Amino acid sequence: MILVRYAKTIWRHRTLLRALVWRDFCTRYKQAVLGFGWAVIYPIALTLILWFAFEVLQRGPATDRPPLLLYYSGLHPFNLFASCIIYGTISIVANGGLLTKVKVPTETFPLSSVLSGLFDFAFGGVALVGLMLWYHSAVRLSVHSLWAAVAIAGELVLTLAVVQVFAAACVIARDLRYGAPILCQLLLFLVPVIYEVPHDADGVWRLYLLNPLAVYVDTFRRALLDGLPPRWGYFALAWLSSLAALWGSCKLFENARLKFPDVL
Amino acid sequence: MSGDRLLKLTAATDRPSGDASCARRGTIRLNDVYKAYPRDISGWSALRRLVELFRPPRVLEAVSSAELARPDLVWALRAVNLEIDRGEVVGIIGPNGSGKSSLLRLVAGITLPTAGSVRAVGRVGSLLEVGAGLHPEMTGRENIYLNGHLLGLSRDEIDTHFEQIVAFSGLEDFLDMPVKRYSSGMYVRLGFAVATAVPPDILLVDEVLAVGDWAFQRKCLARMRELRASETTILFVSHNMDAVRSFCTRCVLLVDGALVYDGEPEEAIRRYYAHGFRTWSVRGTGPAVTPRLGDRRRGLLTDEALRVQLVTDATGQPVTELAAGEPCRLHIAIDGARLPAERGHVRVELFDQEGTLLAGFSTREDCGKAVTWGQQPVTITLSFPAGLPVARGSCRIRVLVLDDSGLEPFAIEDRAALVVCRAPRPQAGTVYVAREWHWSEPGAC
């Protein structure tokens, strides 16, 4: 019910949403010499650091996958989440000037920050495609590869749920502005980026795969690099929990949104 | 109950094209509205506030006196009732911090009242601050669209009115420049042009026009007159009383969050000034002089040495309000024992409410000789048989006691008297001229 209301609000203000996404897109790298290059540089740099640390120094985890492809294919979907959280958490505070002076549908701010995160994702995707072409012998595409898109969609639902709550809470506790990046760094290790979930996930992996973000990243990588379908049970659970999170998040956000102008 | 009320409220303010089933578009109703803001959010109280934030919003039915006395809240509005009909142009005046902007924000639907109900039917165009709704990094062109969307206009509507917006703002040459390079006047031009391009049902303007230059202000007032003619309801916050007087059909005076007057603009303005002077003169108690560097060195004596009263001829009682042209006189009591010389001059200066010197005269020029007080108290009377020359607003009287040369002050009473004046009959301008008309009827002579 509340999700329907949310969707209706967003639909009614779709022109505004488009303008906001365009604004975020235009201004994110404005006056930066490298511009949108940063969307690619960051994951590549991180990939190289991981490669150096785990392959060169440590003679890292034995896997038959090329390490650069392994790291980048995990980092890419993970970064979508992380950068949305970092940008999205401040989305309400950053628009404080607008919120207190104009009547705006506040729901559009977290959503537009998530959607404009997709631009970064698209730019980073160019590098992923390049890597996949380079290591084409290690990549097996199949019809199941399309599940990667479903995984990203689920990840966006989850991200939006978290961003809405964080953005609202940040209005009162600006601590989140500093807390969110730290949280993302910790999550990097709870998500299969520098390692892989074994094919027959048992034991502690069963607990591990209750984390929806881990499932999405795992599904993304398996689908794109191995052409494998999702781990059905975990994947369905991840989607369900993401939708439940969005439901709760919309409820909390709706409660909070009219109080923003008073505390900003 | 509060949930029900909340739904009503969002229904009225959320929908740009609103349902006008129960009220006409352009009407505004405030029913016993209270608005409180937290004084400060810090430390651990933030955690409690965080929990509070995510709870469903509550609009109280009534506010108890204990609630009003809570030290952690600031009450921006108290028990405000207001009914405004379609097409009315209402000025909102009051001192700083009296709740004017809070009122507009409630009508705009930006915030919820703490208690009471707010209804504003129809599309609301608002101009609450210089540059509100403009994004500094985007160009003027992009901002016209962004701001238009925020004001509830569709893309087509903006397309249709684009040329008109640009022409009105006069920013043809700056359209593709990021607005952060704009001057504040240009911000207002753009904001006003977008807000008024398509006549809204309700227009809220909060003291932003003051930033524009004279010509643009005229243009804005002209545009607002057009809107008034097309039955747009206008709420107009301003400290420019001439604009309020010439433009509004009704005026509301807010003081400390309470609506103290609602009615004729002229009367509201008179009360506004009266209130302003009261607080001004209360703050001015104590040494009534503006201390200046070197005053002490020169042995400048102040309050004790000089007492001034303005009384009317009719009653002989001190006054704070006066009809223009009403005969009055100034009693200036000088305590000679407290002054460093035995003789000197007295100078009297009249100022209007803007602080402009209207007239200044002294015993030196008028009488050609000094006042001698020796060591005694002496009272000097200065009569104004034709009254004060101020037709409306206030008149401030400053009295100085000067040395023999008429240059060095011994004592200054900066606000010797403050009176609110008004002309006995309506007139244009602020200067009162005593006058008599005579003519002969045809055939009478």
Side-chain angles (χ1 to χ4, degrees):
Chain A
M1 195 56 226
I2 191 149
L3 288 179
V4 173
R5 193 151 70 232
Y6 177 80
K8 272 186 183 162
T9 310
I10 294 298
W11 179 249
R12 198 162 65 228
H13 299 291
R14 59 193 180 279
T15 37
L16 171 66
L17 182 69
R18 202 178 307 146
L20 285 175
V21 173
W22 179 243
R23 181 189 84 174
D24 279 0
F25 175 72
C26 290
T27 57
R28 187 171 280 197
Y29 296 109
K30 210 154 205 177
Q31 289 199 353
V33 178
L34 290 175
F36 298 104
W38 284 110
V40 186
I41 290 169
Y42 173 68
I44 288 188
L46 203 52
T47 303
L48 289 176
I49 289 167
L50 293 176
W51 169 76
F52 182 74
F54 291 105
E55 302 299 320
V56 180
L57 298 181
Q58 297 278 323
R59 310 226 167 276
T63 141
D64 48 354
R65 242 193 258 288
L68 285 183
L69 194 57
L70 170 74
Y71 297 144
Y72 197 86
S73 63
L75 267 179
H76 184 54
F78 175 76
N79 267 343
L80 173 64
F81 178 82
S83 74
C84 284
I85 297 291
I86 291 168
Y87 278 111
T89 299
I90 57 168
S91 64
I92 301 285
V93 175
N95 284 298
L98 208 58
L99 271 168
T100 51
K101 299 295 169 196
V102 187
K103 179 170 171 53
V104 281
T106 326
E107 295 89 341
T108 47
F109 293 121
L111 181 61
S112 83
S113 72
V114 169
L115 291 183
S116 54
L118 274 177
F119 284 109
D120 278 5
F121 185 74
F123 282 104
V126 175
L128 180 64
V129 171
L131 276 173
M132 285 168 69
L133 288 174
W134 184 259
Y135 292 110
H136 59 89
S137 55
V139 176
R140 277 186 304 278
L141 287 175
S142 81
V143 70
H144 287 306
S145 300
L146 292 175
W147 286 106
V150 185
I152 293 303
E155 188 182 337
L156 286 175
V157 171
L158 178 71
T159 307
L160 181 61
V162 179
V163 163
Q164 286 199 116
V165 175
F166 275 27
C170 190
V171 170
I172 288 202
R174 305 281 158 100
D175 314 54
L176 272 171
R177 191 188 296 200
Y178 313 102
I182 296 175
L183 181 78
C184 287
Q185 281 190 343
L186 295 179
L187 270 176
L188 179 63
F189 301 100
L190 286 175
V191 167
V193 171
I194 53 173
Y195 50 84
E196 278 191 274
V197 182
H199 192 64
D200 45 347
D202 55 0
V204 75
W205 289 109
R206 288 185 187 160
L207 201 61
Y208 177 92
L209 284 174
L210 292 181
N211 170 7
L213 186 62
V215 175
Y216 293 136
V217 173
D218 175 57
T219 307
F220 182 83
R221 183 189 271 152
R222 279 161 48 101
L224 274 191
L225 301 188
D226 302 329
L228 289 175
R231 301 168 207 270
W232 296 111
Y234 294 112
F235 192 64
L237 196 63
W239 253 98
L240 274 179
S241 59
S242 300
L243 284 174
L246 185 64
W247 177 81
S249 161
C250 283
K251 218 168 173 56
L252 290 177
F253 195 82
E254 194 174 79
N255 286 346
R257 75 185 173 91
L258 278 168
K259 299 173 195 158
F260 294 151
D262 294 351
V263 280
L264 268 168
Chain B
M1 178 59 218
S2 68
D4 170 26
R5 177 170 278 201
L6 185 73
L7 280 181
K8 248 192 326 200
L9 184 113
T10 41
T13 54
D14 241 16
R15 212 158 300 160
S17 53
D19 64 304
S21 53
C22 32
R24 277 177 88 198
R25 303 172 127 257
T27 54
I28 301 169
R29 294 277 179 282
L30 273 78
N31 195 0
D32 211 15
V33 167
Y34 287 78
K35 180 69 191 174
Y37 293 104
R39 213 172 264 279
D40 184 34
I41 306 165
S42 59
W44 294 109
S45 75
L47 283 184
R48 216 185 48 220
R49 295 216 152 266
L50 205 55
V51 176
E52 186 62 32
L53 178 76
F54 288 119
R55 288 224 184 102
R58 282 181 308 146
V59 177
L60 301 176
E61 200 59 38
V63 175
S64 65
S65 54
E67 199 83 16
L68 282 171
R70 266 173 64 177
D72 58 331
L73 294 179
V74 182
W75 290 90
L77 291 173
R78 305 152 190 264
V80 171
N81 284 291
L82 195 58
E83 292 203 356
I84 297 173
D85 285 325
R86 178 181 174 84
E88 280 196 276
V89 180
V90 182
I92 299 174
I93 59 175
N96 293 137
S98 57
K100 305 185 293 293
S101 300
S102 294
L103 183 69
L104 290 200
R105 275 158 34 127
L106 286 171
V107 174
I110 295 170
T111 55
L112 283 179
T114 308
S117 70
V118 177
R119 276 182 69 89
V121 187
R123 192 172 72 82
V124 180
S126 62
L127 211 59
L128 298 195
E129 195 174 81
V130 177
L134 300 178
H135 191 280
E137 294 286 350
M138 290 167 74
T139 65
R141 187 185 302 277
E142 290 164 338
N143 265 302
I144 288 178
Y145 281 92
L146 179 69
N147 203 349
H149 289 320
L150 288 175
L151 292 169
L153 300 180
S154 73
R155 201 181 169 83
D156 286 345
E157 278 175 308
I158 303 172
D159 280 335
T160 321
H161 293 87
F162 192 85
E163 291 302 317
Q164 176 202 340
I165 292 171
V166 174
F168 189 88
S169 65
L171 295 171
E172 291 89 348
D173 299 338
F174 307 96
L175 271 187
D176 294 304
M177 190 166 92
V179 299
K180 65 178 172 183
R181 310 238 183 275
Y182 279 23
S183 70
S184 45
M186 289 156 85
Y187 269 103
V188 173
R189 281 161 175 267
L190 195 62
F192 188 87
V194 178
T196 60
V198 181
D201 295 306
I202 297 170
L203 178 70
L204 311 173
V205 183
D206 189 354
E207 193 60 87
V208 290
L209 299 183
V211 184
D213 58 32
W214 180 84
F216 187 70
Q217 285 189 25
R218 300 296 111 181
K219 213 166 151 184
C220 290
L221 284 175
R223 177 76 184 127
M224 293 212 289
R225 285 204 178 90
E226 281 173 39
L227 292 178
R228 187 170 67 181
S230 69
E231 291 223 299
T232 292
T233 307
I234 302 178
L235 259 62
F236 181 60
V237 168
S238 184
H239 291 291
N240 178 350
M241 294 305 143
D242 282 332
V244 171
R245 186 180 285 120
S246 69
F247 183 59
C248 300
T249 53
R250 175 179 164 189
C251 190
V252 165
L253 174 62
L254 288 174
V255 174
D256 289 333
L259 196 157
V260 297
Y261 181 80
D262 178 0
E264 285 296 308
E266 201 60 51
E267 176 64 10
I269 291 167
R270 193 191 65 75
R271 290 185 188 217
Y272 167 71
Y273 279 127
H275 172 82
F277 295 131
R278 240 178 350 261
T279 50
W280 192 20
S281 39
V282 167
R283 276 184 210 136
T285 49
V289 71
T290 354
R292 261 175 271 165
L293 202 66
D295 280 356
R296 190 170 291 278
R297 180 172 46 78
R298 287 206 306 269
L300 190 72
L301 300 168
T302 57
D303 49 333
E304 298 295 308
L306 183 59
R307 295 269 183 216
V308 185
Q309 264 190 342
L310 182 74
V311 302
T312 55
D313 282 3
T315 62
Q317 294 302 309
V319 283
T320 56
E321 281 183 37
L322 204 59
E326 186 181 344
C328 57
R329 55 186 190 269
L330 208 55
H331 291 308
I332 305 166
I334 296 171
D335 188 354
R338 293 174 180 274
L339 291 173
E342 303 212 328
R343 46 197 252 114
H345 287 288
V346 176
R347 182 174 171 80
V348 174
E349 295 168 342
L350 307 182
F351 297 87
D352 71 5
Q353 63 203 25
E354 316 294 340
T356 310
L357 179 66
L358 296 172
F361 25 76
S362 77
T363 51
R364 195 173 133 90
E365 289 82 21
D366 284 1
C367 315
K369 62 174 186 163
V371 183
T372 305
W373 49 73
Q375 292 292 315
Q376 303 298 316
V378 57
T379 299
I380 298 161
T381 301
L382 173 62
S383 295
F384 299 112
L388 296 174
V390 177
R392 62 169 175 246
S394 77
C395 180
R396 174 166 67 96
I397 300 177
R398 174 156 97 149
V399 177
L400 301 92
V401 181
L402 306 160
D403 72 353
D404 214 1
S405 70
L407 297 173
E408 277 286 297
F410 292 140
I412 302 173
E413 183 73 79
D414 218 23
R415 286 187 287 276
L418 282 165
V419 280
V420 179
C421 301
R422 62 173 186 284
R425 282 173 301 277
Q427 68 154 74
T430 52
V431 176
Y432 180 75
V433 179
R435 58 198 182 262
E436 285 172 20
W437 298 82
H438 298 284
W439 67 84
S440 54
E441 296 289 330
C445 57

